[in-house]
Amino acid sequence: MKTIQINQKYPEDWIRVLNHIANLFFEDSKLKVDTIEADMKATFHYRVDADFSVHTGAVLEVEGTTYTNDYSIPYEEDASERERNIRIKRALSHVFLNVLEQHTGMHQQWGILTGVRPTKLYHKFRQDGMSDSEIAEVLKRDFRLSEEKVALLKEIVARQLVTIPDLDDIGKEISVYIGIPFCPTKCAYCTFPAYAIGSNRKQGRVATFLDGLHIELREMGKWLTENNMKITSIYWGGGTPTSIEADEMDALYQTMYESFPNPETIREVTVEAGRPDTITPEKLEVLKKWGIDRISVNPQSYTDETLKAIGRHHTVQETIDKFWLARESGMNNINMDLIIGLPNEGIEEFKNSLDESAKMQPESLTVHTLSFKRASEMTRNKDKYKVADRDTVAEMMHMAQVWTKENNYVPYYLYRQKNILGNLENVGYSKPGEESIYNIVIMEEVQTILGVGCGASSKFVHPETGKITQFHNPKDPAAYILTFEEAIEKKIELLNDLYKA
């Protein structure tokens, strides 16, 4: 914990933003006005001139050494009070980042961006009519992004527009996420709704949950049909949707296709089969029956000791065997996930994971950087899980970038998380033409995602203003069973407000 004394009390949202900047350099930090035991002192000043330009400065004092930085940014017109606050916070972040970089010697390649979706910012500037070179200049000058990260964003945005040429108009359509909250076991890094299916089946919760899910699918399908909504993509997630039995999967897909309108125009259906220990020939046959060929088979690592440490009850060999079983069963768009920075893994282990991936050549490979999520087992017991240092994690990410290029993969979506190792990112790569439409639309928040099932989050995106309203189904199966009918009513109310206004 680093305690940073600041010169005066600032609005809470300003402090939150500055705290995010400080946490890029220190594992944990606290900004306080009144303290006598601070590790360092930060003094800020700012003003907004009559020509609307914003001027900020920061002075950081640490153990007798002083670091300073000043920054100014012009604006052509005045703004609302909310927008003026955003401008000042951004400018304060700029100078705070600079003095912390001077002090630590660390360079933050993502600059002052601490949010989840940096590509959204690139799209916003693009839609405002800015050229790629103009966007690059703004990202480097005002947001302090490195050349490398700007180039990555540019490449991803270009690929997204090839994959979805109507990306700017896709808000007229809708995508659907369907959550199955069961897994064989819960992984140590996971905070998704994932409940051990064995114990829940004994208690009757699996069957009761599925009964409720069938009802929710029919009711939401009824609204979509009555309003002639086109569905862009459907994603079965969780948990692990292939944790349930083959006949249960079959019944759900039948309900989905009978209930949802215009099935012939759905561009993509994905089933997350991430746990190899849930994949069977019978389940693959069900997927094939319904024309679903995009699945995930997620190794996360190709080191058995790592898999045991993080609570995944499958072996490396089982991952390989299930991949080829899926391929031979007609699955021709398979995604695999790797996680950089898993406990006790370094350069050698990650190289082995890339080597094994090369033998299979999945259509897409998502490279995640480990994030210490607040509610995960790994975060609660950090001393138990030793992870790679910042430089090693950065080297592994570079290895992934080189490997994907050599193996003809292109980056097509990106997102970041709080407490992510090395302040890096998660990147989805694919063979050209095999990109996931759902991954793009959910990351760029360009259309409504209707969440159905346990733990499913709905994002209602206004097709004209882009304003987002969220609604969350209960995460716990027992709570879902009791309240899913209320959730249906609330979502229909929100849909009516959005599309019938």
Side-chain angles (χ1 to χ4, degrees):
M1 165 73 79
K2 291 286 185 182
T3 301
I4 304 172
Q5 184 182 16
I6 55 176
N7 59 310
Q8 68 179 69
K9 187 174 182 180
Y10 292 101
E12 187 176 329
D13 57 323
W14 295 22
I15 295 296
R16 186 165 54 249
V17 168
L18 294 172
N19 227 132
H20 287 330
I21 296 295
N23 285 342
L24 299 178
F25 298 86
F26 314 116
E27 186 169 317
D28 198 9
S29 63
K30 189 81 172 177
L31 275 61
K32 292 184 176 182
V33 177
D34 301 315
T35 179
I36 58 173
E37 296 186 356
D39 297 289
M40 59 194 72
K41 180 181 179 181
T43 302
F44 301 102
H45 61 83
Y46 67 93
R47 75 174 192 274
V48 180
D49 286 350
D51 64 357
F52 316 125
S53 59
V54 176
H55 306 270
T56 57
V59 178
L60 183 69
E61 299 174 63
V62 189
E63 298 177 347
T65 302
T66 301
Y67 309 93
T68 64
N69 184 244
D70 295 292
Y71 169 70
S72 299
I73 180 170
Y75 288 98
E76 294 181 358
E77 56 186 25
D78 198 5
S80 65
E81 182 178 353
R82 177 179 176 275
E83 180 61 31
R84 282 196 298 271
N85 273 328
I86 291 173
R87 291 175 178 181
I88 295 168
K89 283 187 292 186
R90 187 178 296 160
L92 287 172
S93 297
H94 194 288
V95 291
F96 195 32
L97 183 86
N98 184 284
V99 294
L100 287 171
E101 286 186 335
Q102 290 180 52
H103 165 57
T104 62
M106 296 167 60
H107 177 64
Q108 303 294 346
Q109 293 204 53
W110 282 107
I112 66 171
L113 294 186
T114 58
V116 173
R117 297 172 170 83
T119 41
K120 276 192 73 175
L121 186 61
Y122 200 108
H123 278 296
K124 177 184 180 299
F125 290 146
R126 176 185 64 80
Q127 290 167 339
D128 287 343
M130 294 172 62
S131 67
D132 286 330
S133 60
E134 290 171 331
I135 295 171
E137 178 62 25
V138 169
L139 291 176
K140 288 185 288 187
R141 183 190 66 222
D142 298 329
F143 293 86
R144 296 180 58 89
L145 268 67
S146 70
E147 292 268 7
E148 178 187 344
K149 298 308 179 189
V150 172
L152 178 60
L153 293 181
K154 177 184 176 183
E155 185 177 5
I156 287 172
V157 166
R159 174 51 51 179
Q160 290 178 343
L161 292 170
V162 169
T163 305
I164 311 176
D166 57 341
L167 186 68
D168 293 343
D169 298 315
I170 208 166
K172 299 171 186 174
E173 299 184 7
I174 201 168
S175 284
V176 183
Y177 174 88
I178 305 168
I180 304 286
F182 304 111
C183 274
T185 58
K186 185 151 186 162
C187 300
Y189 54 80
C190 180
T191 57
F192 288 107
Y195 300 87
I197 191 165
S199 58
N200 276 275
R201 195 174 284 283
K202 287 178 183 177
Q203 295 169 352
R205 287 179 182 162
V206 175
T208 313
F209 161 74
L210 293 175
D211 288 343
L213 181 57
H214 278 282
I215 294 171
E216 191 176 9
L217 286 169
R218 291 191 190 99
E219 289 302 310
M220 300 319 301
K222 180 180 178 183
W223 186 94
L224 295 170
T225 301
E226 289 174 350
N227 290 274
N228 196 31
M229 290 296 297
K230 289 185 73 173
I231 298 171
T232 306
S233 62
I234 298 171
Y235 193 100
W236 289 80
T240 307
T242 46
S243 294
I244 60 176
E245 297 302 318
D247 63 312
E248 294 168 331
M249 291 168 55
D250 187 35
L252 284 172
Y253 302 152
Q254 180 170 345
T255 295
M256 174 182 73
Y257 280 115
E258 286 177 351
S259 304
F260 286 4
N262 309 311
E264 70 283 353
T265 67
I266 297 172
R267 307 187 200 188
E268 172 187 276
V269 180
T270 300
V271 173
E272 178 75 50
R275 294 287 289 264
D277 41 338
T278 68
I279 300 171
T280 66
E282 293 77 17
K283 294 175 187 179
L284 290 168
E285 197 58 39
V286 169
L287 293 169
K288 188 176 178 181
K289 169 185 174 181
W290 292 102
I292 300 169
D293 66 356
R294 188 176 194 282
I295 65 170
S296 290
V297 181
N298 294 336
Q300 315 298 23
S301 166
Y302 285 90
T303 301
D304 280 323
E305 290 75 13
T306 302
L307 296 176
K308 290 176 186 175
I310 62 176
R312 289 179 78 85
H313 288 193
H314 62 85
T315 64
V316 169
Q317 190 58 50
E318 187 169 13
T319 299
I320 296 168
D321 292 344
K322 293 303 176 66
F323 173 88
W324 290 115
L325 176 65
R327 179 67 85 220
E328 291 160 7
S329 298
M331 299 296 114
N332 59 27
N333 193 340
I334 301 176
N335 173 75
M336 303 188 91
D337 285 2
L338 296 177
I339 300 179
I340 287 173
L342 286 170
N344 303 314
E345 287 211 345
I347 300 295
E348 184 178 342
E349 289 80 7
F350 189 64
K351 181 180 183 302
N352 177 60
S353 290
L354 293 174
D355 290 343
E356 290 297 326
S357 300
K359 298 174 186 176
M360 287 175 273
Q361 296 288 321
E363 280 67 34
S364 56
L365 184 76
T366 307
V367 181
H368 299 270
T369 306
L370 181 66
S371 171
F372 280 98
K373 299 173 184 177
R374 187 177 58 182
S376 72
E377 152 73 14
M378 194 173 288
T379 301
R380 291 193 298 268
N381 297 281
K382 278 191 176 182
D383 292 341
K384 178 181 172 184
Y385 299 96
K386 302 299 182 184
V387 299
D389 60 31
R390 184 186 183 94
D391 290 342
T392 302
V393 170
E395 175 60 23
M396 287 192 277
M397 178 60 78
H398 178 68
M399 290 166 61
Q401 292 168 345
V402 171
W403 184 93
T404 50
K405 187 167 288 189
E406 290 176 348
N407 285 271
N408 194 34
Y409 289 86
V410 292
Y412 76 96
Y413 82 102
L414 177 152
Y415 69 102
R416 305 180 69 231
Q417 294 167 283
K418 289 182 181 177
N419 304 317
I420 194 167
L421 289 182
N423 190 29
L424 289 170
E425 62 274 347
N426 306 305
V427 182
Y429 297 90
S430 75
K431 302 287 189 180
E434 303 289 357
E435 298 82 2
S436 164
I437 291 171
Y438 178 85
N439 285 339
I440 294 173
V441 298
I442 193 170
M443 285 306 158
E444 305 313 325
E445 297 182 317
V446 290
Q447 66 172 189
T448 292
I449 306 288
L450 179 62
V452 178
C454 199
S457 296
S458 295
K459 281 193 174 183
F460 299 93
V461 181
H462 195 287
E464 294 175 7
T465 67
K467 180 183 176 183
I468 296 174
T469 304
Q470 297 194 48
F471 180 82
H472 306 281
N473 278 13
K475 289 186 176 183
D476 179 77
Y480 173 85
I481 291 162
L482 293 173
T483 63
F484 74 88
E485 290 173 321
E486 297 170 22
I488 292 170
E489 291 178 7
K490 180 61 178 177
K491 283 182 287 192
I492 288 176
E493 179 185 323
L494 288 165
L495 286 166
N496 284 333
D497 288 344
L498 196 63
Y499 293 101
K500 291 186 175 182

